[in-house]
Amino acid sequence: MSAKAQDYHKRLTAFMTEYVFPAEAEYHRYREEAGPKDHTVPPIVEELKVRAKEQGLWNLFLPSLSGLSNIEYAPLAELSGWSPEIGPEVINCAAPDTGNMETLHLFATEEQSKQWLEPLLAGEIRSAFAMTEPAVASSDARNIETTMLRDGDDYVINGRKWWITGAADPRCKILIVMGRTNPDAASHQQQSMILVPADTPGVSIERSLPVFGWQDQHGHCEITFDNVRVPSSNLLHEEGSGFAIAQARLGPGRIHHCMRALGAAERALALMVDRVHKRVAFGKPLAEQGVVREAIARSRNEIDQARLLCEKAAWTIDQHGNKGAAVLVAQIKSVAPQVACDVIDRAIQVHGGAGVSDDFPLARLYSWHRAMRLFDGPDEVHMRTIARAELGREKSPFAAAVTGA
């Protein structure tokens, strides 16, 4: 790490151990007492946000503000991933806000930035990104059916979205909505993105979807848009640029998820190691059982391998931009969530019945990282990207020599 990254790492480590981990019990106690239908933020989160801002641990994800490159941010995001429900948000580095802030930073007008980006960067409001739809396979964004048609000085939006993370949170004030503005254009120029204030008439949150029975504090919502009318000045960039904006948004967003997933995997491994030292079965500690040792060793190998791939992708983004790193981002997005799931699953197995209970965070960690294999593109889509690049790669001299080509 650079000297700057080392300094941030030291300070964020202290912040996590001194404030974030001790706050988890209060966070979950508040959520349990409030009930699954209450999506208000536990007060401890806002208290920690103030403290993080005072310590300069704020908006670390955005290079233009933090001065940190992607390769420098990676180990910091991993630290926050040890406490995925609190850590990223209290330093204003939580999805989907990070991706939305990057999108606004790149494509918003000065007026749009003043109205929405500035309060997001200040942590005063939250946001959501509305792309996925229940009626179509949204892994192919060309399928998106929501219409956003021009009517005078307005756009009129009709459609249904789901898995819209963050929309149930009362602090969510703005939605970035992707939909079809020109059905007659070329397939990758039919879609656009428009800013829709959450309180616009016709925007209805139908429900918040649970993940393996867990209700996220921010909600993963199904939303209908019924003749929602917004001014044309709410258009992001220009008509037909929805795909380009989505790629600019999802590149860094995907790798940030992977960085945090490594932190969750590290926490699961730490819990596994602690557990096997304390439990005895068949006359000796679990730590002395060969099958347990193999699970620990395999987990360490997989985490370290994934970290190196993640760092390579982050470095490539820094050197060659999102487009130049697209295949590497696809690789780590298909690797890191699977590694996290595998390590967490082993930790659950070692914990026995306790592993699937609320006494440990493993069940919640697993549910989120299993879902990560679907959001921001399912594994299969990323594998398709990787395979297509490999099949289209020019043969190296060695490959040509051994294949006779």
Side-chain angles (χ1 to χ4, degrees):
M1 287 185 283
S2 66
K4 179 188 292 184
Q6 288 180 27
D7 174 63
Y8 271 109
H9 196 275
K10 181 179 179 180
R11 291 190 289 119
L12 183 56
T13 297
F15 183 78
M16 293 287 293
T17 54
E18 187 173 352
Y19 299 110
V20 174
F21 296 136
E24 289 180 340
E26 182 176 341
Y27 176 92
H28 291 297
R29 183 167 54 251
Y30 180 94
R31 292 281 294 129
E32 288 170 8
E33 292 173 356
K37 293 185 178 180
D38 187 336
H39 295 280
T40 56
V41 64
I44 188 65
V45 171
E46 296 296 348
E47 294 171 18
L48 290 178
K49 283 167 64 176
V50 172
R51 193 178 292 275
K53 194 180 293 188
E54 290 172 348
Q55 296 190 14
L57 299 170
W58 194 253
N59 291 332
L60 305 179
F61 73 96
L62 196 59
S64 61
L65 289 182
S66 66
L68 294 165
S69 64
N70 282 284
I71 190 64
E72 290 173 320
Y73 175 60
L76 307 179
E78 180 177 328
L79 292 180
S80 73
W82 276 69
S83 182
E85 292 168 299
I86 303 178
E89 179 170 3
V90 298
I91 59 174
N92 215 38
C93 293
D97 289 330
T98 48
N100 291 340
M101 285 187 272
E102 285 170 322
T103 299
L104 292 169
H105 174 72
L106 290 171
F107 298 104
T109 64
E110 185 176 343
E111 182 180 347
Q112 290 169 344
S113 294
K114 187 172 183 60
Q115 186 174 7
W116 303 115
L117 178 57
E118 291 182 11
L120 281 168
L121 289 170
E124 296 168 355
I125 65 171
R126 293 212 58 167
S127 61
F129 182 66
M131 185 179 83
T132 305
E133 297 182 359
V136 298
S138 301
S139 55
D140 180 356
R142 293 172 299 180
N143 290 335
I144 289 174
E145 295 178 342
T146 294
T147 59
M148 306 191 299
L149 303 179
R150 187 70 179 260
D151 182 25
D153 292 331
D154 296 334
Y155 281 95
V156 179
I157 306 170
N158 283 283
R160 181 179 291 265
K161 302 286 187 179
W162 75 340
W163 294 112
I164 310 307
T165 300
D169 193 316
R171 299 169 298 163
C172 180
K173 303 301 181 185
I174 187 67
L175 312 174
I176 298 179
V177 183
M178 185 167 176
R180 197 182 300 273
T181 48
N182 186 354
D184 298 323
S187 61
H188 284 84
Q189 296 176 335
Q190 295 179 8
Q191 311 283 347
S192 303
M193 291 194 189
I194 291 178
L195 297 169
V196 180
D199 60 359
T200 305
V203 177
S204 300
I205 296 179
E206 305 298 338
R207 56 174 175 155
S208 176
L209 294 141
V211 178
F212 289 108
W214 299 99
Q215 271 288 355
D216 187 79
Q217 184 259 304
H218 311 99
H220 305 295
C221 296
E222 184 170 357
I223 305 176
T224 56
F225 297 84
D226 184 11
N227 289 320
V228 174
R229 185 174 290 269
V230 296
S232 59
S233 58
N234 284 25
L235 182 72
L236 268 180
H237 198 39
E238 59 188 25
E239 271 201 16
S241 62
F243 273 89
I245 296 173
Q247 290 308 307
R249 180 191 187 280
L250 291 172
R254 285 169 175 150
I255 197 171
H256 293 166
H257 277 307
C258 296
M259 295 168 182
R260 291 188 292 266
L262 293 172
E266 285 283 9
R267 181 169 183 169
L269 179 55
L271 290 169
M272 188 183 345
V273 169
D274 182 70
R275 182 75 168 184
V276 302
H277 280 305
K278 295 176 178 177
R279 306 291 280 192
V280 175
F282 304 104
K284 58 183 179 180
L286 289 180
E288 296 181 18
Q289 307 283 354
V291 67
V292 172
R293 289 191 169 204
E294 181 179 348
I296 291 170
R298 192 179 299 278
S299 297
R300 171 49 62 208
N301 286 347
E302 291 172 0
I303 292 171
D304 287 358
Q305 289 169 335
R307 181 181 293 110
L308 287 169
L309 182 58
C310 190
E311 289 175 350
K312 182 179 181 182
W315 180 88
T316 305
I317 291 175
D318 291 334
Q319 300 299 316
H320 304 290
N322 293 331
K323 189 173 182 179
V327 176
L328 280 163
V329 170
Q331 285 182 263
I332 190 57
K333 180 57 176 65
S334 61
V335 166
Q338 182 67 69
V339 166
C341 284
D342 290 345
V343 175
I344 296 165
D345 185 69
R346 294 181 195 122
I348 289 173
Q349 197 71 11
V350 162
H351 282 73
V356 295
S357 75
D358 290 349
D359 289 358
F360 291 89
L362 295 168
R364 288 194 300 272
L365 289 176
Y366 185 86
S367 70
W368 176 250
H369 292 89
R370 181 59 184 85
M372 193 183 295
R373 292 185 56 204
L374 294 169
F375 62 69
D376 279 4
D379 289 356
E380 291 79 5
V381 170
H382 295 300
M383 298 292 270
R384 176 175 177 266
T385 297
I386 298 161
R388 187 169 53 197
E390 194 67 23
L391 290 168
R393 194 186 307 277
E394 184 177 347
K395 287 186 177 180
S396 70
F398 274 24
V402 299
T403 60

